[in-house]
Amino acid sequence: MSDSATVTAAQIARLAGVGRAAVSNWRKRYDDFPQPVGGTATSPTFALSEIESWLRGQGKPAEVGAEDRLWHELNASRRPDESLAEALVRVGLFLQFLDERPARWQSIEQLDDAQLSVALAEDITELAEALPAPPSTPLTAEQIPSLRTTATVTAGTLGRTSATVFSQLLERYQAAATRHPSATPTPLAGLMALLSPHGVMLDPACGLGTLLHAVTRHGASMTIGQDKDASMANLAAIRLALLGLSATVRVGDSFGEELTDGRLPGAAIDGRSVDTVLCEPPFNDRSWNPDAYAYDPRFDYGLPPRSEPELAWVQLALSKVQPGGTVVILLPAGAASRPAGRRIRAELIRQGALREVIGLPGGYLSYKTAPTQIWLLRRPANDAPSPRHVLLVDIPADRGPDKVTGMVLDAHQSFAENPAAVDMPGLARSVPAIELLGDAVDVTPARWIAAPDPQLTVNDIRTSFNELTWLINAAQTSGYELVPGSGAPTTITVAELASRGAMEIISTPTRTNISDGDQPMLAADDVLAGRPATSTGAAESGVPQTEAGDVVLPVLAQTLSPRVLEQGGALLGPQLVLLRLDRTVLDPWFVAGFLATQDNARLSSSQGSVHRIDIKRARLPRLPIGAQQRYGNYFRRLNSLHDSLASAAALVAELAEQSASALTAGTIDLPD
């Protein structure tokens, strides 16, 4: 590892599993604590190698994963004038080199850093020529250590493909960038691709290329991406190349293109008309200046004011497709109701351009907490009658990505078959266009869709109250007597227990595709919800199966959420880790109970753009099996109490909602 890799105080705290204040305290108390090597007086940086050495000397657990090392070295190798995105482009080109020219790498990897920088320069420059904006800066010897670490992390050593490594680096970049670049979540990108008819597809604000990836996988005949940020365009092109997908990515300002020969810009690309535009434009884009486009023919539906940049993107996208072409665009929910956009929404409806508005649950996008919507539009054709209905879809807040996709596609297909007849209470409705053209022209789906009719009887509600009484009684009998303790026992790490054979740490291989199949598969959502497997998958080679008594927990979670499996036989899904215990040495409920502590949550949380759990760092008390079983029985009873109270709380909420709905509908009534 390069000695130039650095970390901040916050990163040291996460590395050591402590709070930020503890690091400040160490700097004051210990004279041998490493001195800053960079940064500022208020935000210093430290040499990672020195910090690791100091933590080991203090007996504090600290283990930097290979991906973490690569990220730190990538930052350390940057020139003063080089952005993080530009450094990522360099590593991406090297990953392409490893994929395409492995024999060449094997012949030169033993050279020293200075020699290797010269030897690699021609190969990297040749690969860079295919990028939308080839970087002109030369490769230096100082950048070679990060490339050597890149080679170590990829397949052959740690089982990571080049595409996987690059995706993980892009996740880190999204979290670290001041302005988070667009990278539409994979499930949402897949849904948007399924809503489009494909053909020649364009994304005029492609960001990191997630929509290009999705639509290429779903059968677009030609895929074009454009972004005004040269580094974003380069990163998208590299990402797609590493995935083995064919797409054209360009650098360009979609709004700033000049009109030529009286034609709309982008109406034809490489001699092909654009059939579909898929786009996640920047939300609240402050660079939108309507004064510059006062006579621009792209804005047929009205020039959006400065406060409505998203409606400018809607019209830009419509101008890019041929007559009859489709636009699928992600927008903030406010675009459906803001007063400033009322006239433009009205024109989109009158001219038959707006066809569907799909309301997504709040928080569906991990990087945007506000509700979002998918708008589906079609550029009107001269000889086509104006549509008389608009499909409005409102997805309930508690639906996961798979259910969202199914519900949206069901409504979308029903609308395609009979545009006037969609009526799914609580989900979707075909609304006559004339009804939408009121004073506010508000197309927010929830305001136009009726709640589902309550199908309850008096006996149904009485049964629910009886169940609630039973749950409360069960909770009251779950108490347990406790006595004062005699001090904290000594502990041992999960990694050490595994090395001694007391447990086995199992996960599904990263590159395994188990999504298609009919065997029960335990997913992360199942573990968090405490339910049996609800997904299915294919039993490929290397995919583990669960057994009764296994301890399972998600690796991407805000905190540790271990669960003891009462029965086995399901496939272990992705993003889960399984602990298979030697039951003569370890009790499952003891292990799960102590893993769920806040201390272990701090110890196990690793650095990254998401909360990733490294269970090897967690610690368990050293206790004989008899004592473990006593603790395990207590944790089992606590779990039963938790489940009973959670079920009771859910049932109370359901009873309140159902009773109110049934009383309002007149299905039930109260005696005088």
Side-chain angles (χ1 to χ4, degrees):
M1 176 179 166
S2 168
D3 289 337
S4 59
T6 60
V7 287
T8 64
Q11 290 169 332
I12 295 171
R14 180 169 291 184
L15 178 65
V18 298
R20 176 74 179 271
V23 178
S24 299
N25 190 38
W26 291 344
R27 292 183 64 193
K28 297 174 184 176
R29 288 180 54 197
Y30 297 101
D31 294 336
D32 61 341
F33 190 87
Q35 294 299 307
V37 296
T40 64
T42 56
S43 181
T45 58
F46 305 83
L48 178 56
S49 58
E50 294 180 8
I51 292 296
E52 282 188 287
S53 177
W54 186 85
L55 288 172
R56 283 194 296 269
Q58 296 292 321
K60 304 182 186 299
E63 180 183 350
V64 181
E67 290 89 348
D68 289 328
R69 290 179 181 275
L70 174 54
W71 180 252
H72 291 307
E73 291 193 4
L74 174 67
N75 275 286
S77 67
R78 289 164 53 197
R79 299 183 307 276
D81 61 338
E82 185 179 44
S83 69
L84 184 54
E86 290 169 334
L88 270 174
V89 169
R90 179 179 68 250
V91 172
L93 288 170
F94 180 68
L95 286 167
Q96 280 188 268
F97 168 76
L98 292 178
D99 273 1
E100 298 177 15
R101 307 172 188 182
R104 167 74 171 151
W105 172 245
Q106 292 173 6
S107 68
I108 63 174
E109 63 177 322
Q110 300 303 324
L111 299 175
D112 64 34
D113 290 356
Q115 294 170 328
L116 188 55
S117 65
V118 175
L120 277 175
E122 183 176 348
D123 296 272
I124 299 297
T125 300
E126 183 179 340
L127 289 169
E129 289 175 355
L131 293 180
S136 58
T137 53
L139 193 64
T140 66
E142 291 74 21
Q143 295 162 346
I144 295 301
S146 66
L147 301 187
R148 292 191 191 276
T149 303
T150 302
T152 300
V153 172
T154 51
T157 301
L158 295 178
R160 306 286 195 271
T161 65
S162 295
T164 299
V165 172
F166 196 62
S167 293
Q168 291 173 341
L169 290 174
L170 289 180
E171 286 181 9
R172 296 285 188 92
Y173 171 63
Q174 280 184 271
T178 304
R179 297 185 65 184
H180 297 306
S182 170
T184 314
T186 301
L188 178 56
L191 171 58
M192 293 175 70
L194 290 169
L195 290 170
S196 68
H198 306 319
V200 179
M201 176 268 181
L202 169 70
D203 183 347
C206 68
L208 297 176
T210 310
L211 286 170
L212 299 176
H213 176 204
V215 81
T216 302
R217 289 179 58 245
H218 284 87
S221 61
M222 182 178 180
T223 308
I224 305 120
Q226 181 166 301
D227 203 283
K228 66 180 181 180
D229 187 316
S231 294
M232 288 298 100
N234 284 341
L235 290 173
I238 292 171
R239 180 186 187 186
L240 293 167
L242 290 172
L243 289 165
L245 300 175
S246 176
T248 300
V249 184
R250 298 173 171 173
V251 179
D253 182 352
S254 296
F255 276 111
E257 295 169 327
E258 295 182 1
L259 303 179
T260 58
D261 302 329
R263 293 178 300 170
L264 293 176
I269 296 181
D270 295 339
R272 305 277 302 274
S273 295
V274 175
D275 301 300
T276 307
V277 166
L278 258 69
C279 183
E280 181 191 341
F283 288 12
N284 303 314
D285 184 3
R286 296 181 181 179
S287 65
W288 166 245
N289 178 16
D291 296 339
Y293 302 94
Y295 303 102
D296 194 319
R298 289 177 290 188
F299 300 104
D300 285 343
Y301 305 92
L303 184 63
R306 195 177 297 273
S307 61
E308 291 288 350
E310 291 85 13
L311 293 182
W313 278 98
V314 166
Q315 295 186 72
L316 171 76
L318 282 168
S319 76
K320 297 288 187 182
V321 296
Q322 62 179 325
T326 299
V327 171
V328 181
I329 186 168
L330 186 72
L331 299 175
S337 60
R338 288 190 295 245
R342 176 177 59 84
R343 293 183 180 179
I344 295 173
R345 291 193 298 272
E347 280 304 305
L348 289 169
I349 295 170
R350 287 192 186 100
Q351 296 188 39
L354 183 61
R355 305 297 294 119
E356 300 179 22
V357 177
I358 300 162
L360 300 173
Y364 187 71
L365 303 185
S366 58
Y367 54 96
K368 291 182 174 76
T369 57
T372 51
Q373 296 172 347
I374 298 173
W375 285 23
L376 190 149
L377 307 101
R378 288 201 178 93
R379 184 173 176 183
N382 294 332
D383 56 348
S386 182
R388 296 184 177 182
H389 292 80
V390 177
L391 176 66
L392 302 182
V393 181
D394 183 45
I395 302 297
D398 58 347
R399 300 301 191 269
D402 291 342
K403 290 185 178 179
V404 169
T405 298
M407 296 169 79
V408 170
L409 293 180
D410 285 348
H412 175 72
Q413 183 61 34
S414 297
F415 186 65
E417 294 170 355
N418 192 339
V422 179
D423 187 8
M424 303 176 179
L427 176 61
R429 180 189 165 205
S430 299
V431 181
I434 192 67
E435 287 188 29
L436 295 172
L437 294 172
D439 291 340
V441 195
D442 188 340
V443 294
T444 303
R447 295 177 183 169
W448 294 93
I449 298 171
D453 294 331
Q455 302 293 325
L456 292 175
T457 66
V458 172
N459 286 337
D460 292 331
I461 294 183
R462 286 175 178 170
T463 299
S464 295
F465 272 109
N466 290 336
E467 183 182 350
L468 178 60
T469 302
W470 184 88
L471 287 169
I472 293 172
N473 289 336
Q476 289 175 335
T477 60
S478 297
Y480 208 88
E481 291 187 3
L482 300 174
V483 296
S486 58
T490 58
T491 59
I492 184 171
T493 65
V494 167
E496 189 173 355
L497 285 168
S499 69
R500 295 183 180 186
M503 69 168 65
E504 186 180 1
I505 303 173
I506 303 172
S507 59
T508 297
T510 304
R511 289 175 288 172
T512 303
N513 180 15
I514 59 176
S515 59
D516 298 323
D518 56 5
Q519 279 198 234
M521 181 182 72
L522 191 68
D525 286 346
D526 298 327
V527 174
L528 293 172
R531 65 193 178 208
T534 58
S535 303
T536 57
E540 294 188 4
S541 175
V543 178
Q545 289 198 354
T546 61
E547 297 178 3
D550 287 341
V551 178
V552 182
L553 65 153
V555 296
L556 299 180
Q558 295 291 331
T559 186
L560 281 169
S561 302
R563 173 186 163 199
V564 179
L565 299 184
E566 301 288 354
Q567 60 183 22
L571 300 175
L572 186 70
Q575 300 179 358
L576 289 174
V577 64
L578 179 151
L579 306 180
R580 183 154 292 158
L581 312 177
D582 179 347
R583 302 288 288 277
T584 65
V585 179
L586 293 171
D587 177 79
W589 284 99
F590 163 82
V591 171
F594 278 102
L595 283 181
T597 63
Q598 291 185 356
D599 285 342
N600 274 328
R602 287 195 298 269
L603 287 171
S604 303
S605 181
S606 62
Q607 300 173 21
S609 60
V610 294
H611 289 272
R612 183 177 294 273
I613 299 297
D614 182 358
I615 196 60
K616 294 179 182 178
R617 301 179 182 179
R619 307 184 74 86
L620 297 171
R622 295 176 183 263
L623 293 174
I625 187 65
Q628 290 183 35
Q629 289 169 346
R630 288 203 330 273
Y631 284 117
N633 187 40
Y634 173 64
F635 285 126
R636 183 196 294 266
R637 294 181 66 127
L638 279 182
N639 185 73
S640 176
L641 174 62
H642 174 275
D643 289 349
S644 295
L645 292 178
S647 298
L651 186 54
V652 168
E654 183 180 350
L655 272 171
E657 180 182 350
Q658 290 178 343
S659 299
S661 298
L663 286 166
T664 302
T667 307
I668 65 172
D669 204 347
L670 299 176
D672 292 336

